[in-house]
Amino acid sequence: MALQLYAHPFSSYCQKVLIALYENGTPFEQRLVEPDQTKTVEEFSALWPLKRMPLLRDGERTVVESSIIIEYLGLHHPGPVRLLPPAADAALDVRMMDRFFDLYVHTPLQKIVFDRLRPEAERDRYGVTEVRAMLDTAYAWLDQRLDGRHWAAGAAFSLADCSAAPALFYADWAHPIPASRANLVAYRQRLLARPSFARAVDEARPYRSYFPLGAPDRD
Ligand SMILES: N[C@@H](CCC(=O)N[C@@H](CS)C(=O)NCC(=O)O)C(=O)O
């Protein structure tokens, strides 16, 4: 039975896993989680009451959390591209950068986006100011980290880059990366040029109107 991915093409955490699947040409069936797909939404909610995409089904096994799904794919459905290095110490660096992108780029980005979806009177201006400051700090740290590096951790494209690509893509829309952070700007461009991510970005194009802050007219 084919792997099934409950996901939406515009969702950044889903794109993180799509990149891993596309890197290895792993066959899977996408189950589109959209409000009008009621049967799929019901299945998804029953499988994972927390209702956070993506969710992978492998036969009777359910795997959640994007980083865990990518590690699971590497263990159970490996392909030519290893997204975690075999050496445990090198893998730690990849996992650290994966955590960095999720916690200090992706999480603040989501706060800005979800805040915009609230009724105006319920918005959290203080919280949004705080996470914008966190993004500024994260951008500054990443710019230094990326000095002389091609990918986020080690020499090869990894789980950390799967995490970075959609997080930086949308973070730059919500809170632009200053041109002065040249290493980070160049890294975001390298990610956009990676065929696996370019494909995910293309598949998400029809949904750009979903971006609550208004998508800019660029990638
Ligand atoms: N930590 C989770 C985060 C997943 C997540 O936040 N997914 C978002 C889409 S990008 C979601 O399902 N949002 C639905 C909602 O907030 O109701 C992961 O890594 O998979």
Side-chain angles (χ1 to χ4, degrees):
M1 190 178 171
L3 290 171
Q4 293 187 320
L5 188 73
Y6 288 77
H8 191 285
F10 198 65
S11 146
S12 46
Y13 278 105
C14 297
Q15 290 180 6
K16 176 174 161 182
V17 168
L18 289 170
I19 293 167
L21 289 161
Y22 296 158
E23 283 290 326
N24 278 306
T26 311
F28 70 101
E29 178 197 342
Q30 183 154 219
R31 306 296 311 274
L32 183 66
V33 181
E34 272 246 88
D36 64 350
Q37 306 289 318
T38 40
K39 183 171 173 295
T40 309
V41 170
E42 272 172 31
E43 283 169 20
F44 172 61
S45 311
L47 288 166
W48 189 222
L50 284 149
K51 299 183 199 167
R52 291 290 182 273
M53 302 177 270
L55 178 150
L56 184 78
R57 282 284 279 176
D58 186 6
E60 288 306 302
R61 188 156 178 185
T62 297
V63 190
V64 293
E65 288 295 314
S66 55
S67 303
I68 307 303
I69 295 173
I70 293 173
E71 293 222 30
Y72 178 88
L73 289 168
L75 280 177
H76 296 280
H77 301 273
V81 180
R82 294 184 79 139
L83 295 166
L84 259 300
D89 209 32
L92 274 188
D93 199 37
V94 169
R95 290 193 180 97
M96 186 278 280
M97 288 306 293
D98 171 62
R99 293 298 75 228
F100 186 92
F101 286 113
D102 273 15
L103 297 172
Y104 306 125
V105 179
H106 225 142
T107 301
L109 157 71
Q110 279 191 328
K111 168 79 181 173
I112 297 170
V113 168
F114 290 147
D115 191 73
R116 189 59 70 91
L117 293 169
R118 292 181 183 179
E120 196 137 5
E122 303 299 323
R123 290 199 185 142
D124 174 13
R125 280 183 55 192
Y126 187 83
V128 168
T129 301
E130 274 186 327
V131 297
R132 285 190 183 278
M134 179 179 276
L135 280 175
D136 286 333
T137 307
Y139 290 167
W141 185 82
L142 281 167
D143 194 55
Q144 284 196 350
R145 159 97 188 175
L146 289 162
D147 193 16
R149 285 178 189 270
H150 197 76
W151 300 122
F157 187 88
S158 72
L159 162 68
D161 303 296
C162 298
S163 190
L168 289 172
F169 178 77
Y170 289 116
D172 182 53
W173 282 9
H175 189 77
I177 300 169
S180 59
R181 304 294 181 205
N183 295 322
L184 183 56
V185 171
Y187 173 59
R188 185 177 177 278
Q189 284 307 119
R190 280 197 292 284
L191 291 166
L192 277 166
R194 184 89 180 175
S196 56
F197 184 48
R199 178 174 167 188
V201 168
D202 279 342
E203 288 170 351
R205 272 183 213 287
Y207 302 101
R208 285 195 175 187
S209 63
Y210 288 17
F211 195 67
L213 286 86
D217 193 16
R218 62 172 173 88
D219 285 350

